[in-house]
Amino acid sequence: MCRDCGCSSQPEDHSDVLLARNDHQAQHNRHHFDHSHTLCINLMGAPGCGKTRMLERMAPELEGLLVVEGDLSGELDAQRMRRVGIPAIQIQTGQACHLDAHMVHEALHQLDDTPRLLIVENVGNLACPADFDLGEHLRVVAVSVTEGDTKPEKYPAIFAGADAVVLTKLDLLPHVRFSVESFWHRVKALNPSAHTFEIGADQDIAPLATWIKNNIT
Ligand SMILES: Nc1nc2c(ncn2[C@@H]2O[C@H](COP(=O)(O)OP(=O)(O)O)[C@@H](O)[C@H]2O)c(=O)[nH]1
Ligand SMILES: [Mg+2]
């Protein structure tokens, strides 16, 4: 069971008090980010959908990037980021299936300098992270074609709250049953204004990197 929210037994029941405390800390985090002119992005998606790979590929294009990695245990994704020259802080959540604003705040206290761009790779999960504001300015949700095109219908909250949705692993389309058209139709039904991107081993990642850069003030 999730230490913080008990979510394995009651997925939709994150208590009001817990969320209110989180929202308060998130406002505090956002105030910090605004004050230091840091753009903060909360990157969410299921385990293995390609979040870290996306960051590795964008690393050369995103100047001033710092990554906070959220996983239940280990330091593997932070190590991957450091290998491509990006400073990274790893948060280990233990049993918690999402990051919360307090964890991010604590992680940022390890920093001497404030980055221009902070991307928080959330714990792999399409449910609980949607409820927890981290103080971010933008929410990006990644989904791979191997997950099926019905995910927006099954996990509407995370798609409804996204500023951008990224469909990943397009190179695997010939091997899976996935309708790109149906997927985007479902996303747009929940969130008509979401920015949309498609990436894969053969697709250019520059449009996504450019959208991120254009959001840095
Ligand atoms: N074929 C293919 N594999 C990918 C792509 N992006 C990521 N992967 C692979 O998917 C696996 C999970 O990727 P990772 O970035 O660790 O996912 P995360 O858990 O969301 O951070 C790894 O083996 C990646 O190499 C892609 O665009 N195409
Ligand atoms: Mg990862």
Side-chain angles (χ1 to χ4, degrees):
M1 185 163 82
C2 170
R3 176 168 54 84
D4 290 334
C5 62
C7 61
S8 65
S9 55
Q10 292 179 300
E12 70 293 339
D13 181 21
H14 292 126
S15 88
D16 289 348
V17 174
L18 182 81
L19 287 176
R21 255 195 290 139
N22 184 76
D23 285 350
H24 181 77
Q25 180 65 56
Q27 276 177 31
H28 177 77
N29 292 357
R30 194 172 289 111
H31 179 75
H32 267 302
F33 297 144
D34 290 343
H35 187 71
S36 60
H37 301 285
T38 298
L39 175 72
C40 178
I41 295 177
N42 183 358
L43 173 59
M44 298 175 282
C49 69
K51 299 180 294 300
T52 311
R53 182 72 196 118
M54 183 189 305
L55 296 176
E56 286 171 335
R57 290 185 65 199
M58 289 194 295
E61 302 199 40
L62 298 178
E63 211 177 302
L65 170 64
L66 177 120
V67 171
V68 169
E69 293 286 356
D71 280 298
L72 271 63
S73 74
E75 180 107 8
L76 291 172
D77 280 2
Q79 287 168 354
R80 282 172 67 181
M81 295 316 307
R82 291 177 198 129
R83 276 201 290 274
V84 294
I86 301 296
I89 299 172
Q90 181 79 48
I91 298 175
Q92 296 171 347
T93 63
Q95 290 176 300
C97 58
H98 58 272
L99 293 176
D100 67 32
H102 293 89
M103 295 177 197
V104 171
H105 184 253
E106 207 172 294
L108 293 177
H109 270 278
Q110 297 175 30
L111 291 178
D112 295 327
D113 296 321
T114 48
R116 291 291 284 122
L117 174 62
L118 172 69
I119 300 184
V120 181
E121 182 185 336
N122 216 312
V123 179
N125 183 347
L126 284 172
C128 305
D131 287 347
F132 287 81
D133 184 4
L134 306 179
E136 71 271 11
H137 300 106
L138 296 170
R139 290 183 162 204
V140 175
V141 176
V143 183
S144 63
V145 299
T146 56
E147 292 167 59
D149 52 31
T150 55
K151 285 297 170 291
E153 219 163 299
K154 296 179 177 180
Y155 301 89
I158 202 162
F159 292 93
D163 295 286
V165 177
V166 186
L167 183 59
T168 68
K169 307 194 188 182
L170 264 284
D171 54 296
L172 297 181
L173 262 185
H175 309 288
V176 292
R177 193 175 290 195
F178 187 99
S179 163
V180 174
E181 196 187 345
S182 301
F183 175 75
W184 288 126
H185 183 75
R186 288 184 168 103
V187 169
K188 288 293 177 178
L190 290 162
N191 186 345
S193 62
H195 293 263
T196 60
F197 299 92
E198 294 181 358
I199 61 173
D202 312 319
Q203 274 83 14
D204 189 8
I205 201 154
L208 176 59
T210 301
W211 177 76
I212 291 173
K213 283 190 278 192
N214 287 345
N215 277 287
I216 299 174
T217 49

